[in-house]
């Protein structure tokens, strides 16, 4: 038997409007891609570049099926926070940004659309944001860039790369670059070796430095492993460090450590490698959590925040 008509809201009533808004919100939430860069070897670095790395670039390796007319450089942010531009020159080069002013619910699709746009755009053109029709028709990012390729990153401590070498910027552009340079925080990616997992980034934030370690594991499994390590007193990077908490972004969990800022980033490589080994051992355990580990898990979860 169908529902009684008495339970159905009147078309123009406040209840009907609330139900419609709730359904729209549910549909919008369902459309959001939780882990947009999943399946890509560069997933962890892509998340880092989008969320907190100030200035870095890398030449993208395009997928074999893409008709590549020109090379494409991935960048944290481009002038004006545009999605893409094509730099003129003897060999025009496409640039695509991951920190953009306008974006859809799926940053991977936005990036794929930007990469394809650079192959047909004229030198000197820029793209504020990919159109809805372009985003809807674009293939998956794994079909546009090589999903097995890591990012060969160049980390910059300024934004001088915004202007081609040998070109004198006009006063307005020069002032914009100077302003951006003054706001930048020194950053570096820790070279942890082939055995390392994820992407560990050091940043000098002023009063203290941090390491933000983007990890590719399932969030729940990683949280349990962190709890096991914490319960044994191993949740640190040695002297001059402390675990500050973690944040969730793009479907990944990012542990954060506060550091002594007087030490060079390279000095944290060995301690981070040792911590990575402790964490790998904890991840491999399938034993039930002890009471101490459960308390550690609950405490760690209370210090976790979600960015997006």
């Amino acid at each position: 038997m169908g529902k009684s008509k008495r339970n159905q809201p009147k078309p123009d009533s406040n209840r009907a409007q609330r139900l419609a808004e709730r359904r729209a919100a549910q549909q919008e939430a369902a459309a959001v891609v939780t882990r947009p860069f999943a399946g890509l070897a560069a997933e962890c670095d892509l998340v880092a570049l989008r969320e907190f790395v100030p200035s870095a670039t890398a030449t993208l390796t395009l997928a074999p099926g893409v008709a590549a007319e020109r090379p494409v450089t991935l960048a944290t942010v481009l002038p004006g926070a545009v999605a893409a531009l094509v730099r003129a020159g003897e060999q025009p080069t496409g640039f695509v940004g991951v920190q953009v002013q306008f974006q859809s619910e799926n940053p991977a699709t936005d990036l794929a659309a930007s990469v394809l746009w650079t192959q047909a755009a004229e030198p000197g053109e820029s793209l504020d944001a990919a159109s809805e029709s372009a985003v809807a028709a674009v293939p998956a990012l794994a079909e546009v860039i090589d999903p097995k390729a890591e990012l060969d990153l160049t980390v910059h401590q300024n934004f001088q790369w915004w202007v081609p070498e040998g070109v004198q910027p006009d006063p307005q552009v020069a002032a914009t670059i100077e302003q951006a340079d003054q706001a930048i925080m020194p950053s570096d990616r820790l070279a942890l070796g082939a055995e390392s997992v994820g992407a560990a980034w050091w940043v000098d934030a002023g009063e203290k430095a941090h390491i933000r370690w983007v990890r590719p594991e399932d969030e729940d499994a990683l949280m349990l492993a962190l709890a096991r390590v914490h319960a044994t007193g191993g949740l640190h990077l040695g002297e001059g460090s402390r675990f500050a908490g973690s944040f969730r972004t793009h479907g990944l969990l990012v542990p954060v450590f506060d550091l002594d800022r007087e030490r060079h980033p390279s000095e944290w490589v060995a301690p981070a490698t040792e911590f990575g080994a402790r964490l790998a051992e904890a991840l491999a355990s399938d034993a039930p959590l002890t009471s101490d580990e459960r308390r550690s898990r609950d405490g760690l979860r209370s210090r976790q925040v979600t960015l997006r």
Side-chain angles (χ1 to χ4, degrees):
M1 181 180 295
K3 293 182 179 179
S4 170
K5 291 185 177 179
R6 288 178 298 177
N7 292 330
Q8 301 296 320
K10 294 181 180 180
D12 297 327
S13 68
N14 289 335
R15 183 183 172 209
Q17 182 178 354
R18 289 196 299 271
L19 287 173
E21 291 173 350
R22 185 182 305 167
R23 282 194 294 268
Q26 290 171 342
Q27 291 172 354
E28 182 178 352
V32 175
V33 179
T34 303
R35 192 168 171 176
F37 304 113
L40 299 175
E43 177 185 19
C44 292
D45 276 316
L46 284 169
V47 170
L49 296 179
R50 268 188 59 83
E51 293 304 320
F52 55 78
V53 177
S55 182
T57 56
T59 300
L60 287 176
T61 302
L62 301 189
V66 176
E69 300 295 329
R70 53 179 64 115
V72 182
T73 296
L74 178 76
T76 48
V77 63
L78 297 171
V82 298
L85 58 84
V86 175
R87 181 177 288 176
E90 184 176 344
Q91 169 63 68
T93 302
F95 283 77
V96 293
V98 289
Q99 298 175 25
V100 296
Q101 186 173 4
F102 305 106
Q103 60 189 12
S104 72
E105 297 294 343
N106 189 339
T109 303
D110 291 343
L111 183 57
S114 296
V115 171
L116 295 178
W117 176 88
T118 65
Q119 299 306 296
E122 293 295 325
E125 288 187 326
S126 63
L127 175 70
D128 288 335
S131 65
E132 291 185 10
S133 59
V135 170
V138 76
L141 182 58
E143 298 176 33
V144 176
I145 66 173
D146 184 351
K148 298 179 181 180
E150 301 278 359
L151 294 179
D152 185 10
L153 285 156
T154 300
V155 181
H156 306 275
Q157 304 306 330
N158 55 49
F159 289 97
Q160 299 301 315
W161 57 269
W162 276 359
V163 178
E165 187 176 354
V167 174
Q168 183 67 34
D170 64 48
Q172 183 176 356
V173 172
T176 299
I177 293 175
E178 182 179 1
Q179 184 177 14
D181 286 350
Q182 290 175 350
I184 204 169
M185 292 185 291
S187 301
D188 202 2
R189 191 188 192 282
L190 295 194
L192 299 182
E195 299 300 319
S196 68
V197 175
W201 285 84
W202 172 92
V203 61
D204 183 350
E207 293 185 2
K208 62 185 67 175
H210 309 286
I211 282 178
R212 299 163 177 153
W213 198 332
V214 186
R215 304 285 305 195
E217 296 90 357
D218 173 80
E219 292 179 60
D220 291 334
L222 180 57
M223 180 57 70
L224 293 184
L226 290 170
R228 294 184 193 276
V229 175
H230 182 265
T232 62
L235 191 54
H236 58 79
L237 301 182
E239 184 180 354
S241 75
R242 75 174 186 88
F243 181 71
S246 60
F247 63 88
R248 300 171 62 249
T249 182
H250 298 308
L252 299 181
L253 191 62
V254 185
V256 180
F257 298 87
D258 289 343
L259 310 172
D260 176 0
R261 65 186 296 265
E262 297 301 320
R263 294 173 61 178
H264 190 272
S266 62
E267 296 182 64
W268 297 105
V269 170
T273 300
E274 293 170 4
F275 168 75
R278 294 195 295 272
L279 189 58
E281 183 178 354
L283 282 162
S285 174
D286 58 2
L289 292 181
T290 66
S291 58
D292 286 343
E293 290 169 345
R294 286 195 297 271
R295 283 193 293 271
S296 291
R297 176 199 59 193
D298 295 342
L300 294 177
R301 282 179 173 169
S302 70
R303 298 158 65 185
Q304 178 181 308
V305 298
T306 300
L307 296 187
R308 67 181 79 201

